[in-house]
Amino acid sequence: MKRLCLCIHNHQPVGNFDYVFREAIDRSYVPFLETLSRYPRIKVSLHTSGPLLEFIEQDPTSTYLDLVRNLVASGQLEVVGGGYFEPILQLLPERDRIQQIQLMSDELLRLFGRRPTGLWLAERVWEPDLASSLARAGVQWTLVDDNGFEKIGLQGPDLTHAYVTEDQGQTLTVFPILKELRYRIPWSEPEETLRFIRDFGEDTEIFVYGDDGEKFGLWPGTYDHVYAHGWLQRFFQALTDAEDVTTVTVAEAVSSLKPRERVYLPTCSYVEMEEWSLAASRQKAYADLRDSVSPENRAFVSGGTFRNYLARYPEANRMHKRMLFVGSELGNADSEARMHYLRSQCNCAYWHGIFGGLYLPHLRDAIYAELLTAERLMPERRLGAWLQDTDADGRPEVVMATEHQMFFLHVCGGRLVLWDDLRQAWSWSNVMTRYHEAFHDRMLEATSQSEMQGVANIHETLRLKDPDVSGTLQFDDHMRVSFIDRFGPSLDAATGSEPVMKEYSARLGQTWARFEASGLIVKTFAPSEGGLRVDFEIGAPQDWYVCELNLALWWEDRERSFVANSFTIGTESHRLSVRTSSPVHVELSPIRTVSNSESGIETVYQGMTVSIALDLRTSRHLTLEIGG
């Protein structure tokens, strides 16, 4: 008898729109459970993330919790643990890893009367030292993609067994998730999937499928395919009728199988993640190289790792290091602030592939809102100005902290990289740079939109959600932060010149920071009530100076170019006032990125660029005050 584990992962991130939660629940999660309840011989292991559980519990109309309770009581369903707010555990301090896992365990016990024995790894990202963290948190097993097992030489029937790994003598049972099953379910006809299992040979113990619940109704075209056209019913019926294949939960597999041998898996995730985390310019070369190698040896061609996103995207790194900064201030005490801090660790806003939400401002806004709320609720915070390498780049940044604001300034270019308002729980600097992505090239090569549509595995297709997206495509040659300096002999020349990125010297006072680029400019930053005052003394041998700001403000219908010494920007929810000591030329422009998601390639508004230009022939001093 062949044993099949079906492990379903249901998740929506912190900060996602309510309508997305409801659509996922109504079109995917609940229909799946309703269908499962009609086939009592089918067993499933189910992971539901903390943010999704919180939303469902606040919705009195949802039947999700009752369906899960009934399936658990009947023995059909196993609840699977994880990090409660769906973090990438490896990116967290050890104390946070343990607390995230224990929070989920406690919540599952409260809701369903069961403590989980196993853990769903967020994005199935594995690193070797996780074994000891999970074991210390009481986790007995987890699932890792077969890609990781193949990298150590296991293949074919080897991938249908349980294994044990360890770190510092702490052991953990690990099961391979079969990519072939991930790509077949729910796309292949049920009998084809059963034939794949049956044809695998006799030296097999367990076939593990583990993937996103959104595949069953939320991904484009899947609701009709899975439910209206009856794929899921046919699949469950085929499994019910099969005399040589039975479904078991992962916990049942752990209790009935002995690990085949001890293994040490390298850092890994699913194959697609290895490609997405590479630089865009190298992704095609990696994919071509993998394709040129025989399938049995393909896993030895390794790509990037999840941590590489922190190098690819400074915006992701800033959020991550900002999170660690807040955590170091908080300490270990349980408090309301700490729960906001833990919520900020939800992984989705920290990366980008087909699924990652780094390009989605509402997800980044939510991360910053949780972080800044945690910071505001701290009973004691360090105030003043000091040097600290907060982004882990080997150079100290200038940190300026007031009761209600935080500023982080980089010595390269004397730029403001983070400006956070604790009262509003809003980061004015939460803007995304327009990076070149590998799918941009594929998009431009596509001959028609019709070629990108249809019901298919989203890993193998490309969709255009916005038909006019190619006209929006632009790439930046610098990071979209603020107080970027440019000089030139004319306004146009200064606007188009290379930004100054040399290392400025920095001097600190108790309530101010001064940056100097010798012979060019001196900038003095001083927090004000609700904002910032910056004094410029300009010595560059040019006639024009341009200061570029990039701000998390919604676009408004207004003139894009004007001369003024006072103006406001933004909308009612988030508005800034700007005052200058002399009239300046102002140029406003929106920042829009072209990003990918499971629903297709789309244009996303990221923020506003504000260019402030001073005619140095009239004055070489400028004071700029900006604030809410």
Side-chain angles (χ1 to χ4, degrees), residues 359-381:
Y359 278 100
L360 299 179
H362 66 283
L363 296 188
R364 301 195 313 272
D365 288 343
I367 297 300
Y368 278 111
E370 299 295 345
L371 282 172
L372 303 184
T373 300
E375 206 160 27
R376 177 175 55 80
L377 292 173
M378 288 181 199
E380 295 182 4
R381 291 174 44 241

Side-chain angles (χ1 to χ4, degrees), residues 342-357:
L342 293 173
R343 192 173 279 111
S344 78
Q345 295 169 347
C346 183
N347 80 85
C348 302
Y350 288 89
W351 66 284
H352 179 67
I354 290 180
F355 310 108

Side-chain angles (χ1 to χ4, degrees), residues 5 8 20 42 45 81 114 134 159 205 271 283 286 300 303 329 366 404 415 434 474 496 519-520 539 617:
C5 284
I8 307 300
V20 178
I42 307 303
S45 300
R114 300 284 196 281
L134 301 191
L159 305 175
E205 289 183 313
V271 171
Q283 288 184 29
Y286 167 74
F300 297 133
E329 291 186 301
H404 301 303
R415 298 166 298 159
R434 294 174 291 200
Q474 296 181 60
L520 292 178
R617 294 167 297 184

Side-chain angles (χ1 to χ4, degrees), residues 412-458:
C412 288
R415 298 166 298 159
L416 177 65
V417 294
L418 280 173
W419 174 16
D420 298 333
D421 186 322
L422 306 190
R423 283 181 294 195
Q424 295 189 56
W426 183 259
S427 179
W428 297 109
S429 51
N430 181 21
V431 175
M432 193 71 192
T433 303
R434 294 174 291 200
Y435 296 105
H436 169 240
E437 300 286 357
F439 60 81
H440 292 151
D441 300 329
R442 293 174 56 205
M443 177 189 76
L444 294 174
E445 291 169 3
T447 57
S448 70
Q449 182 180 352
S450 61
E451 293 180 4
M452 303 183 202
Q453 296 178 343
V455 182
N457 187 336
I458 62 173

Side-chain angles (χ1 to χ4, degrees), residues 137-175:
V139 177
Q140 297 177 24
W141 61 264
T142 194
L143 312 179
V144 180
D145 281 73
D146 55 7
N147 178 48
F149 293 83
E150 290 172 340
K151 289 179 184 299
I152 59 172
L154 301 178
Q155 59 182 336
D158 299 333
L159 305 175
T160 62
H161 298 275
Y163 293 88
V164 66
T165 190
E166 63 87 23
D167 178 61
Q168 303 175 49
Q170 303 271 353
T171 60
L172 180 76
T173 300
V174 288
F175 290 89

